[in-house]
Amino acid sequence: MQQELLFKVLVIGDLGVGKTSIIKRYVHQIFSQHYRATIGVDFALKVLQWDNDTVIRLQLWDIAGQERYGNMTRVYYREAVGALVVFDVTRASTFDAVLKWKDDLDSKVTLNHGRPVPAVLLANKSDQLGSQQPKLDSFCRENGFVGWFETSAKENTNIEEATRCLVEHILNNEESPVVERDPGSLVLSGYTNTAKDHLNCSTCVKW
């Protein structure tokens, strides 16, 4: 019997970095230059046939860029098991804000065993700028990100790969709570992925 797992994943970062565009590209395979700014929070669902025995339902929470300054993020973050933290490679201020978002995340949600939820850093709008790799490798190691990817919602670059990397880290946690239980679904506990599931990508780092 197939098991269905439901994971709540946050997509966070400053206003205008492309969070909504990344989600729309990932879930619906569409891109537009003209999304309105998200107010509060928005939701999307992506269903993955992870392997022959596992279906994963990713509940993606698109958190508005200005919300870090409000009091609602604790409510929005509750029961999340992973996060994509996004910045815009063409705007240095959005990279400067990354650690503030990460600190906010770590202070408001942890896994059952007390560790921070896995977070993958997305250097978005990479179609507009050259490689960021040397700086981001050490930055992610020093600041607790499980990996990073240059992404482009416009060109559909690395969005699937980044999300797969995050899901692998969620699955590798010994006690990842399922957000809610549907009839017939199983609670994830102690699940570890097999070697064949591992994505051998240089930026998906196993610290």
Side-chain angles (χ1 to χ4, degrees), residues 13-18 85-96 98 121-126 128-129 132 151:
D14 268 10
L15 187 68
V17 295
V85 183
V86 187
F87 75 96
D88 176 348
V89 297
T90 70
R91 291 161 55 213
S93 63
T94 66
F95 178 69
D96 294 339
V98 159
L121 182 64
L122 303 188
N124 195 38
K125 306 187 185 179
S126 64
Q128 299 182 36
L129 208 63
Q132 300 284 306
T151 58

Side-chain angles (χ1 to χ4, degrees), residues 17 20 44 74 94 115 145 151 173 180 186 189 196 199 205:
V17 295
T20 301
R74 189 177 299 277
T94 66
R115 290 192 304 180
F145 289 91
T151 58
N173 286 308
E180 60 189 53
L186 300 179
S189 179
K196 68 180 173 57
L199 182 64
V205 183

Side-chain angles (χ1 to χ4, degrees), residues 10-116:
L10 306 174
V11 184
I12 57 178
D14 268 10
L15 187 68
V17 295
K19 300 182 297 293
T20 301
S21 294
I22 286 169
I23 292 171
K24 296 282 190 188
R25 171 65 81 179
Y26 181 57
V27 175
H28 304 295
Q29 293 302 312
I30 58 174
F31 175 78
S32 169
Q33 301 274 19
H34 308 292
Y35 289 122
R36 289 175 300 175
T38 301
I39 298 172
V41 64
D42 204 357
F43 310 92
L45 184 71
K46 176 79 169 183
V47 180
L48 304 173
Q49 182 69 51
W50 188 256
D51 56 33
N52 290 335
D53 303 317
T54 311
V55 173
I56 294 175
R57 303 169 79 85
L58 285 183
Q59 192 182 70
L60 298 160
W61 286 51
D62 181 0
I63 310 293
Q66 63 271 31
E67 283 296 331
R68 182 169 53 81
Y69 307 102
N71 297 318
M72 288 299 293
T73 52
R74 189 177 299 277
V75 176
Y76 297 151
Y77 290 2
R78 188 176 297 150
E79 296 184 308
V81 294
L84 299 171
V85 183
V86 187
F87 75 96
D88 176 348
V89 297
T90 70
R91 291 161 55 213
S93 63
T94 66
F95 178 69
D96 294 339
V98 159
L99 289 185
K100 296 171 187 173
W101 282 99
K102 182 71 162 61
D103 291 345
D104 191 48
L105 175 72
D106 292 346
S107 69
K108 292 176 178 173
V109 62
T110 57
L111 301 176
N112 281 350
H113 41 59
R115 290 192 304 180

